[in-house]
Amino acid sequence: MIKLEKELNYIEEELVNMASLVTEMLYESIKALKTLDTKKCEKIIKEDEKIDNIEVEIESKVIRAIALYQPEGEVLRKLVMAIKINKDLERMADHSVNIASNTLKTIEAGKIEIPTEINEIFNLLTMMINKTLRSFVDHNSSLAREVIEMDKDVDLLRNKGIRKLIEEPGSEKEIEKTLLLILTFKDLERIGDLLTNICEDIIYIVEGKMVEHKYK
């Protein structure tokens, strides 16, 4: 079972590495939105293929470990949840790609004034990602619950930001920008939901208690 332990450690390390790449994509997508940087948008879109390949590799290693060692109990829970966490990380990357793709389509509309709520959500998500990683590495379900609570603030900020955008009339170009910002709010909110999913999976790994996912 020493080999299984090594496999499990490797899978956990790969998930942490993948999470770091996904975090960088989120940071770069928001930066691209603020600067309307075409090259940065295109780079983020290309990075998605790399994330997809990592997801496939991790899933293959998990399935191989389950088939080869036929684990039980906590180890089996960890491996099954690793597949789900892996998929949620890939979906987080997809939402960063959405932000970059939508920005690319709207660049000709000109400079965009970024709502303070987008910056606040991004800062919250950064903290949530850091706590999620610590929770996963340390098997800390209390920290996972903190992240789940923080997601409520993300939802409140999204609603506040979208409401303000809808209330502001504007020209055709301004409407185009408004649509981009609304879509950005929705993508950021989805990333928060996916982090919540991951933390619910961590709680299951640590405590053996299944929590229903908010975002499926």
Side-chain angles (χ1 to χ4, degrees), residues 136-170:
F136 178 70
V137 171
D138 298 337
H139 295 172
N140 186 331
S141 58
S142 297
L143 208 52
R145 284 190 167 84
E146 286 182 26
V147 174
I148 293 169
E149 284 301 308
M150 290 172 74
D151 188 48
K152 294 175 183 178
D153 293 328
V154 171
D155 292 345
L156 289 172
L157 286 166
R158 176 212 58 191
N159 292 340
K160 180 182 175 184
I162 290 177
R163 188 166 56 248
K164 283 166 64 175
L165 287 170
I166 291 172
E167 289 171 355
E168 292 176 6

Side-chain angles (χ1 to χ4, degrees), residues 72-82 204-208:
E72 298 177 349
E74 185 180 351
V75 175
L76 180 60
R77 286 205 306 271
K78 284 181 181 179
L79 288 169
V80 172
M81 290 301 109
Y204 179 68
I205 290 170
V206 177
E207 301 179 3

Side-chain angles (χ1 to χ4, degrees), residues 6-41:
K6 284 183 179 179
E7 289 272 2
L8 188 56
N9 288 339
Y10 177 80
I11 289 165
E12 288 183 346
E13 286 172 10
E14 284 300 293
L15 284 171
V16 170
N17 291 337
M18 185 180 179
S20 297
L21 289 173
V22 171
T23 304
E24 182 65 19
M25 284 180 71
L26 173 60
Y27 171 78
E28 291 297 327
S29 68
I30 295 299
K31 196 172 178 182
L33 174 68
K34 291 178 178 179
T35 59
L36 299 180
D37 189 324
T38 300
K39 288 183 178 178
K40 197 175 286 294
C41 289

Side-chain angles (χ1 to χ4, degrees), residues 152-203:
K152 294 175 183 178
D153 293 328
V154 171
D155 292 345
L156 289 172
L157 286 166
R158 176 212 58 191
N159 292 340
K160 180 182 175 184
I162 290 177
R163 188 166 56 248
K164 283 166 64 175
L165 287 170
I166 291 172
E167 289 171 355
E168 292 176 6
S171 63
E172 187 175 334
K173 280 192 174 181
E174 291 304 314
I175 290 171
E176 195 175 348
K177 294 177 188 178
T178 297
L179 180 59
L180 167 63
L181 293 171
I182 288 173
L183 291 173
T184 300
F185 271 117
K186 289 183 178 296
D187 280 310
L188 292 175
E189 186 259 341
R190 290 290 185 262
I191 289 172
D193 290 344
L194 289 164
L195 284 167
T196 296
N197 285 2
I198 291 171
C199 285
E200 288 166 350
D201 290 336
I202 292 168
I203 291 169

Side-chain angles (χ1 to χ4, degrees), residues 29-189:
S29 68
I30 295 299
K31 196 172 178 182
L33 174 68
K34 291 178 178 179
T35 59
L36 299 180
D37 189 324
T38 300
K39 288 183 178 178
K40 197 175 286 294
C41 289
E42 290 171 345
K43 183 181 177 183
I44 293 163
I45 293 166
K46 286 179 182 177
E47 280 288 300
D48 192 43
E49 185 177 350
K50 182 178 179 181
I51 295 293
D52 289 345
N53 290 336
I54 293 171
E55 184 212 355
V56 170
E57 183 182 347
I58 291 173
E59 185 171 321
S60 297
K61 287 188 179 297
V62 173
I63 291 171
R64 177 183 174 278
I66 292 172
L68 193 60
Y69 301 106
Q70 298 182 349
E72 298 177 349
E74 185 180 351
V75 175
L76 180 60
R77 286 205 306 271
K78 284 181 181 179
L79 288 169
V80 172
M81 290 301 109
I83 291 178
K84 297 177 73 176
I85 291 169
N86 185 38
K87 183 60 183 175
D88 283 336
L89 287 171
E90 186 272 332
R91 291 164 84 184
M92 284 171 60
D94 286 345
H95 287 295
S96 292
V97 169
N98 286 350
I99 294 170
S101 298
N102 291 331
T103 300
L104 203 54
K105 294 172 189 172
T106 319
I107 281 177
E108 290 184 5
K111 187 178 178 181
I112 299 169
E113 186 178 339
I114 306 299
T116 56
E117 289 83 8
I118 282 182
N119 291 321
E120 289 178 49
I121 290 175
F122 171 72
N123 291 334
L124 261 177
L125 290 176
T126 302
M127 287 188 285
M128 288 169 71
I129 290 169
N130 289 335
K131 285 192 174 191
T132 300
L133 286 176
R134 281 168 49 207
S135 172
F136 178 70
V137 171
D138 298 337
H139 295 172
N140 186 331
S141 58
S142 297
L143 208 52
R145 284 190 167 84
E146 286 182 26
V147 174
I148 293 169
E149 284 301 308
M150 290 172 74
D151 188 48
K152 294 175 183 178
D153 293 328
V154 171
D155 292 345
L156 289 172
L157 286 166
R158 176 212 58 191
N159 292 340
K160 180 182 175 184
I162 290 177
R163 188 166 56 248
K164 283 166 64 175
L165 287 170
I166 291 172
E167 289 171 355
E168 292 176 6
S171 63
E172 187 175 334
K173 280 192 174 181
E174 291 304 314
I175 290 171
E176 195 175 348
K177 294 177 188 178
T178 297
L179 180 59
L180 167 63
L181 293 171
I182 288 173
L183 291 173
T184 300
F185 271 117
K186 289 183 178 296
D187 280 310
L188 292 175
E189 186 259 341

